[in-house]
Amino acid sequence: MVALLLVNFVLMAFDARDKTTGQRVVRAWSQTAADFVQSPVTTVTSGIANYFYSISSLRSAQSENDILKQRVQELEVELKQKEDLASENARLRTILNLAEQNKYKVLTARIIGRDPSVWFDSAHLNRGGLDGVTLYMPVVTDGGLVGRITAVSPLTSQVDLITRSTSGVGAVVGQIGDSNALGVVSGTSKKDLLEMRYVPGNVDVQVGQTVFTTGQDGIFPAGLKIGEIVNVVSGSATTPHVIEIRPAARLDTMQEVGILLYQPGDKPGFDKALPNAVKQK
Amino acid sequence: MEGVRLTVALIIAVVLQWTLRNVFEPFAYIDFPLIIIVFAALQRNSIRAIIFATVAGIAVDALSGGLLGASGFAKTVVAYIVFEMARRVYLDNLLLRIPVIAGACLVNDLIYFGVHRLFSQPPAADLVVVAVYRVIGTTIAGTLVYLLLQSMSGEKVHRRKRDVFTPRRQTRRRNPIRLNK
């Protein structure tokens, strides 16, 4: 018994050394093995759930159909305008010799499992190292930021959600450049709430404003939507605001996410010149 | 045979723990591997219970955002405590096993939470709320699982046979003639 306890203790101590990632051999291979169970179970259960959902939504289908027909007509007009703008944009780009490029490539992934312990918030995706996923890549949905990749196995990967208390996201209230309400967003003990700290107390912040990533944390790219402010405990000239945010992404019900194939750039030169960095060499 | 049966039950429990939360969120409050580990410990086989605890704990930790080995550590301690209790106290009754599984779940959660605090990685969830929900969920599920396991095992059949065919106590009759003498 003492030997087994010691094995567990050593594993914990080894795992706790690096708080930013859970990338361990045992974890990677266990996740790969679990994928063969989780993927079929998720496929079957989501199929059944979708079937019942489609039956329950038949009631409102008629009224929804009328609204959608009207919306389609409006969108057709908007699409035509967009096409005109896109062709104009392309012409102007050709004139300026600018290459067409997407900001980030997105890899779609399905959630095949959630954290088996209720204490932590993480999810397992059906994309892994073989699909080009690497550590620390940001994960998003159409709603907003979900989290970042903290462990990668050949077939699956693990994403730590932004609601985790140890997560930290550099954020700004409103658009970058328009606002100087900068701070750090992290998780709280409440699953559906985030907390933004270190926002100066003399900056005006209102309930209902949107919070975006700044890109200054070296992990997440700038401009990703994090959530909306639901409560502000106002600070003063010397104390910062305490801001509560509701995540924009539906973290409880999401089934599909996008992995941004984004690698943060190298840290600035002055970081590398720090004494600790020199010692590590 | 008993060992194989419990091993299969443990594998199923780990697989359920891996998958059920994605199907229905409240299932996360049931600790399936712990139920099997406590059952194994109640069979008074300490080695089996402790090995089960470590293996199942690490298997759950591998897919968790928590520390690798934390659940294994907590479950191993719980398995040993339950084994020692079962060795000293009569716990072969289902009604007596209900508080045991509830207590085991509570101790497991306290150790798990404490170990994470020790390594400066506090869990996001609130200890009291989660512990209460988990105790309720695991105790209800555990009672059902124990009923199932008992009905599958030979233990119940033996007991029923013993109840039906109880050997009658033969009282020694004294010879009345001798008594008179």
Side-chain angles (χ1 to χ4, degrees), chain A residues 48-66 68:
Chain A
I48 294 168
N50 287 340
Y51 176 73
F52 284 108
Y53 178 74
S54 62
I55 290 174
S56 67
S57 59
L58 270 176
R59 283 184 180 180
S60 56
Q62 185 60 45
S63 58
E64 217 172 84
N65 194 27
D66 294 338
L68 286 173

Side-chain angles (χ1 to χ4, degrees), chain A residues 1 4 8 11-12 15 19 27 30-31 37-38 111-112 114-120 124 158 164 189 191, chain B residues 15 17-18 21-22 50 60-70 72-73 80 112 115-116 121-122 124 130:
Chain A
M1 181 199 164
L4 289 175
N8 282 308
L11 273 174
M12 279 189 285
D15 203 24
K19 290 180 183 178
R27 189 162 267 155
S30 299
Q31 286 176 6
V37 179
Q38 287 180 323
I111 293 178
I112 55 168
R114 304 264 176 171
D115 198 315
S117 85
V118 76
W119 300 98
F120 293 95
H124 300 277
Q158 182 177 332
R164 187 170 175 162
S189 58
K191 285 195 168 183
Chain B
V15 168
Q17 197 70 32
W18 280 352
R21 190 179 179 185
N22 201 28
I50 288 168
V60 172
D61 284 335
L63 267 71
S64 164
L67 284 173
L68 196 63
F73 186 87
Y80 187 72
Y112 186 83
V115 158
H116 277 91
Q121 296 211 349
V130 172

Side-chain angles (χ1 to χ4, degrees), chain A residues 155-218:
Chain A
L155 300 174
T156 64
S157 52
Q158 182 177 332
V159 51
D160 269 7
L161 307 187
I162 49 171
T163 47
R164 187 170 175 162
S165 59
T166 51
S167 72
V169 185
V172 61
V173 179
Q175 295 291 343
I176 306 169
D178 298 344
S179 165
N180 55 354
L182 294 164
V184 177
V185 172
S186 58
T188 62
S189 58
K190 295 170 191 168
K191 285 195 168 183
D192 55 346
L193 275 184
L194 303 168
E195 192 177 67
M196 187 171 182
R197 284 174 286 184
Y198 313 124
V199 177
N202 52 5
V203 175
D204 185 37
V205 176
Q206 301 291 330
V207 172
Q209 279 186 296
T210 311
V211 179
F212 293 93
T213 56
T214 57
Q216 291 172 355
D217 50 18

Side-chain angles (χ1 to χ4, degrees), chain A residues 4 8 11 26 30 116-117, chain B residues 6-7 9-15 17-18 31-38 40 48-64 67-76 79 108 112:
Chain A
L4 289 175
N8 282 308
L11 273 174
V26 178
S30 299
S117 85
Chain B
L6 279 177
T7 308
L10 186 75
I11 292 168
I12 293 170
V14 170
V15 168
Q17 197 70 32
W18 280 352
D31 198 334
F32 292 101
L34 184 72
I35 293 169
I36 305 299
I37 288 159
V38 170
R48 185 197 292 159
I50 288 168
I51 291 173
F52 273 15
T54 299
V55 172
I58 292 174
V60 172
D61 284 335
L63 267 71
S64 164
L67 284 173
L68 196 63
S71 185
F73 186 87
K75 283 183 171 57
T76 306
N108 177 65
Y112 186 83

Side-chain angles (χ1 to χ4, degrees), chain A residues 252-272:
Chain A
D252 287 340
T253 55
M254 62 185 179
Q255 290 297 323
E256 276 161 355
V257 293
I259 303 169
L260 297 186
L261 302 180
Y262 162 84
Q263 286 293 343
D266 283 342
K267 294 206 169 178
F270 61 86
D271 267 0
K272 286 179 179 171

Side-chain angles (χ1 to χ4, degrees), chain B residues 55-173:
Chain B
V55 172
I58 292 174
V60 172
D61 284 335
L63 267 71
S64 164
L67 284 173
L68 196 63
S71 185
F73 186 87
K75 283 183 171 57
T76 306
V77 173
V78 167
Y80 187 72
I81 292 171
V82 173
F83 162 72
E84 284 296 328
M85 275 176 64
R87 208 160 61 93
R88 288 173 167 77
V89 187
Y90 175 80
L91 289 174
D92 287 346
N93 187 325
L94 181 66
L95 281 177
L96 294 174
R97 288 178 176 184
I98 293 172
V100 171
I101 181 72
C105 185
L106 188 64
V107 173
N108 177 65
D109 286 355
L110 289 175
I111 296 172
Y112 186 83
F113 190 86
V115 158
H116 277 91
R117 293 291 298 231
L118 184 72
F119 284 100
S120 305
Q121 296 211 349
D126 184 46
L127 172 67
V128 178
V129 175
V130 172
V132 168
Y133 277 121
R134 274 173 57 87
V135 166
I136 294 168
T138 308
T139 307
I140 294 169
T143 309
L144 298 173
V145 170
Y146 288 173
L147 279 171
L148 184 75
L149 285 172
Q150 273 188 1
S151 68
M152 283 166 65
S153 73
E155 190 184 342
K156 193 178 177 183
V157 177
H158 287 310
R159 194 181 299 156
R160 201 177 291 158
K161 270 185 184 172
R162 204 173 56 221
D163 293 343
V164 173
F165 304 108
T166 312
R168 288 183 65 188
R169 196 177 164 197
Q170 300 289 326
T171 52
R172 193 180 165 193
R173 289 183 181 174

